[in-house]
Amino acid sequence: RAAKAPKPSDYISASTGQELVIFNGFPGCGKSTFFNRVFKPQGYVHVNRDTLGDWKKCVAAADAALAAGKSVVVDNTSPSADDRKRYTDLALTKHKGVGLRCFQFLANQKLALHMNLVRARLGIAARVPTMGYNMYKSKFEEPNAAAEGFSAEVIKVHPHADFTGLPEGVEKLFLQLS
């Protein structure tokens, strides 16, 4: 029996006020789709290395959005505590009082590679080379709420198939390539 897709309110209601959310997970594992379904409708600012180019621009964008009183989602792979620290420092030091949460996407490498292939075949996003997956895996450190200063436990996002709102052909190709 397939897991039921969580509702956006399952994730938003846990937060109060302005916050910084850090995503952690393999490339292509559904982080951006999750952002679009859950956080974008709530007005969160999307900070993503794919669109901004490098981590310095991402930190600057997150800082500017927090300074403007907006909540932010950092939609990057964020494999290590050092990668996440660039952003946790914003919430813990520069913008004190801002909530800080981490969402860990639990899709394994094989599933993330599969989803990467599907979105590349459909022209949704460029294919991430296998090297990107190996680099993520080699740098991976389990997010730790207490050690990294997150306001709550790390939220685990289990993979589930939900093709609602995705471009036509995604479900068919996903299943065909399985």
Side-chain angles (χ1 to χ4, degrees):
R1 185 171 159 181
K4 188 174 181 181
K7 301 180 297 297
S9 61
D10 294 341
Y11 298 107
I12 297 296
S13 62
S15 69
T16 55
Q18 186 184 17
E19 70 172 338
L20 174 69
V21 174
I22 300 172
F23 285 176
N24 162 252
F26 276 108
C29 72
K31 296 180 303 293
S32 295
T33 298
F34 188 85
F35 168 82
N36 287 326
R37 288 183 176 165
V38 175
F39 290 98
K40 185 176 182 178
Q42 302 300 318
Y44 282 65
V45 173
H46 187 237
V47 172
N48 180 279
R49 192 171 174 178
D50 293 340
T51 55
L52 295 175
D54 65 45
W55 69 264
K56 291 176 185 172
K57 289 179 183 175
C58 290
V59 170
D63 185 23
L66 291 171
K70 298 182 182 208
S71 290
V72 176
V73 170
V74 177
D75 174 12
N76 293 331
T77 60
S78 306
S80 70
D82 283 343
D83 289 318
R84 295 184 291 272
K85 187 173 182 347
R86 298 171 180 147
Y87 304 99
T88 60
D89 282 351
L90 288 176
L92 298 173
T93 306
K94 188 165 185 184
H95 301 279
K96 289 183 180 175
V98 169
L100 179 62
R101 295 193 293 161
C102 180
F103 284 66
Q104 183 181 22
F105 290 76
L106 300 177
N108 63 28
Q109 184 172 358
K110 186 176 179 181
L111 178 58
L113 280 163
H114 178 74
M115 293 190 307
N116 179 37
L117 179 61
V118 169
R119 69 184 189 171
R121 288 240 179 120
L122 291 169
I124 295 169
R127 188 181 151 287
V128 176
T130 304
M131 181 181 77
Y133 291 83
N134 294 336
M135 190 162 22
Y136 172 85
K137 197 171 173 181
S138 72
K139 289 179 70 179
F140 178 76
E141 295 172 347
E142 186 83 25
N144 182 305
E148 296 183 57
F150 297 118
S151 308
E153 288 302 309
V154 174
I155 296 146
K156 309 288 187 179
V157 181
H158 295 273
H160 63 275
D162 181 359
F163 302 100
T164 308
L166 296 179
E168 192 170 324
V170 171
E171 181 175 10
K172 181 179 179 183
L173 186 59
F174 181 88
L175 296 172
Q176 183 180 33
L177 293 174
S178 294

